[in-house]
Amino acid sequence: MPSDPNIGKREREVLTAIVETFISTGEPVGSRTLSRSNREGLSPATIRNVMADLTDSGFLEQTHTSSGRIPTPEAYRYYVEQISGTAKLAPQEESMISDSLAGISDVQEFMERTSHVLSLISRNVGVTVASSGTKNALEHVYFSRLGDQKVLAVLVTRSGLVRDRVLRLDLPQAELDLAARYINENFRGWTMESMRAELGRRIEQERSEYDRLMNSIEQLYKQGALASEAGTQVVFIEGAANLITGQEDRKRLQELLKTLEEKEKVAQLLGAYLDVKQEAVRVVIGLDDALPSMQNFVLIGAPAHSGGDMVGSLAVIGPTRMDYQHTMTAVSYIARLFDKILNESE
């Protein structure tokens, strides 16, 4: 909350120092600790008064009467808004990332390696989701009647991937040809997810106008003729063991680890917070709106684009006490590298 009237220059410096000290040490921060490192030479008494004001404003909390203060989620949110976007990774970290991702030409391979790299750099959980993009968009479909109650459905993507499956259907070849023509003329270039969603809508809305055609398409649709492994989301998670160190609330940690094992929930989590139109790294402090078990955790993530198409997302998940500047810089660097590497490989 940069516009908060209670946050002046002195309050901002004290709050920033408390957040960074707590991130570094994990211990409640006292006024004497701050006074020793304060560049303006503020006395412990002055700092105590500022800390009291920040506590009243909801930025700090005191676990015990005699202890120092620790940041609240509001303090972390304010701190993140103040962070400059000019930070850079150390040269050795940039080299490590480049070496780890070198030679990749496939989205899923990039995402798998990236989850590992993010977990190493952040010392938290690296999460990536690979979804279908233009390379896995529809090129054409073909349906062929094999005999009574059997239809061969062939789906070809723009990357050249061919998926075929035999369906238990009893439709004449003329209706199969009509259905294939409708899909190819209306949906060539669409991703699998978009095509299936739009077809589901049209089946309901246009049934009366194209009753026989849409009935055939509905049967093909429900039997999985347009399903494709290439069109599903693939989730990669690395570094869950990093959360075990220093976590006092074992029950909460167990709930988090259980959530991370359910990869569909992780994909939903990233989908809830990362937008296709997003350009900058997003920091979300407190993830309980999406998953109650992740109330005291943070997501730092960005979408991954290839050209103008979003083909996945990458993020770090960790406790509120994490190195925000470093993690945000790493996520931003890899997101920018993604487009460059994938385009060079084509």
Side-chain angles (χ1 to χ4, degrees):
M1 298 182 295
S3 60
D4 193 297
N6 296 319
I7 296 291
K9 182 175 182 293
R10 179 176 292 179
E11 288 80 9
R12 181 169 62 249
E13 290 182 356
V14 170
L15 182 58
T16 298
I18 290 174
V19 171
E20 292 180 346
T21 302
F22 184 70
I23 288 173
S24 175
T25 66
E27 299 292 333
V29 183
S31 57
R32 291 190 179 277
T33 300
L34 291 185
S35 66
R36 286 195 293 267
S37 60
N38 185 266
R39 289 175 296 184
E40 293 187 0
L42 298 178
S43 68
T46 300
I47 292 176
R48 276 196 297 274
N49 290 333
V50 174
M51 291 171 71
D53 291 339
L54 290 170
T55 301
D56 291 341
S57 298
F59 291 101
L60 301 176
E61 60 184 0
Q62 193 172 21
T63 54
H64 302 289
T65 306
S66 59
S67 70
R69 306 296 208 280
I70 63 173
T72 65
E74 285 302 322
Y76 287 115
R77 292 186 184 101
Y78 180 84
Y79 173 74
V80 166
E81 290 177 0
Q82 307 307 307
I83 292 176
S84 166
T86 59
K88 292 184 178 181
L89 294 174
Q92 59 268 30
E93 288 183 321
E94 290 190 0
S95 296
M96 185 270 283
I97 292 172
S98 298
D99 292 345
S100 298
L101 302 178
I104 294 177
S105 59
D106 177 75
V107 171
Q108 290 195 18
E109 185 181 2
F110 184 98
M111 292 303 191
E112 184 174 13
R113 291 199 204 176
T114 293
S115 66
H116 179 66
V117 170
L118 284 173
S119 72
L120 289 177
I121 288 181
S122 69
R123 297 182 183 176
N124 283 294
V125 180
V127 179
T128 56
V129 176
S131 56
S132 64
T134 52
K135 289 185 178 181
N136 289 318
L138 176 71
E139 179 59 31
H140 66 264
V141 295
Y142 172 75
F143 305 126
S144 177
R145 181 180 171 87
L146 298 179
D148 291 343
Q149 299 292 326
K150 285 188 179 181
V151 169
L152 173 66
V154 180
L155 185 151
V156 181
T157 70
R158 289 202 161 175
S159 64
L161 191 65
V162 179
R163 300 286 183 187
D164 60 76
R165 44 173 53 89
V166 176
L167 314 175
R168 295 187 61 82
L169 281 174
D170 190 18
L171 291 173
Q173 186 63 49
E175 291 188 16
L176 293 174
D177 292 341
L178 191 61
R181 190 179 310 120
Y182 178 88
I183 292 170
N184 290 332
E185 289 178 355
N186 286 273
F187 296 103
R188 180 173 281 112
W190 287 50
T191 62
M192 299 299 110
E193 294 94 334
S194 299
M195 176 179 64
R196 287 175 59 83
E198 176 64 11
L199 264 177
R201 187 189 68 81
R202 292 192 187 187
I203 285 170
E204 294 303 319
Q205 290 191 356
E206 301 180 14
R207 186 187 301 275
S208 59
E209 186 175 355
Y210 306 104
D211 193 52
R212 189 169 181 177
L213 168 62
M214 298 311 287
N215 180 62
S216 300
I217 291 177
E218 182 179 20
Q219 292 185 60
L220 290 161
Y221 173 90
K222 287 185 175 180
Q223 286 291 320
L226 304 176
S228 169
E229 287 80 359
T232 60
Q233 292 183 316
V234 182
V235 181
F236 301 99
I237 300 172
E238 283 280 347
N242 290 332
L243 298 177
I244 297 174
T245 305
Q247 286 293 327
E248 297 178 0
D249 190 342
R250 296 290 173 178
K251 183 178 180 181
R252 184 165 59 88
L253 177 61
Q254 288 173 354
E255 290 178 356
L256 173 64
L257 293 176
K258 184 179 179 181
T259 298
L260 291 176
E261 289 175 358
E262 300 179 47
K263 293 189 174 183
E264 184 177 342
K265 285 187 176 181
V266 176
Q268 291 172 353
L269 181 71
L270 267 64
Y273 292 118
L274 301 181
D275 191 277
V276 63
K277 297 178 181 178
Q278 175 185 333
E279 294 182 1
V281 172
R282 185 175 183 194
V283 180
V284 184
I285 298 170
L287 307 174
D288 45 313
D289 284 346
L291 291 173
S293 62
M294 307 190 77
Q295 178 180 357
N296 297 311
F297 285 83
V298 175
L299 181 148
I300 299 178
H305 292 96
S306 179
D309 188 48
M310 181 176 174
V311 294
S313 51
L314 53 106
V316 169
I317 295 175
T320 50
R321 185 185 150 239
M322 71 155 66
D323 189 338
Y324 290 88
Q325 178 81 80
H326 184 243
T327 305
M328 290 166 64
T329 304
V331 169
S332 177
Y333 180 81
I334 294 175
R336 293 195 308 271
L337 201 60
F338 178 89
D339 200 358
K340 182 182 177 199
I341 290 177
L342 266 294
N343 286 333
E344 286 178 350
S345 67
E346 294 180 349

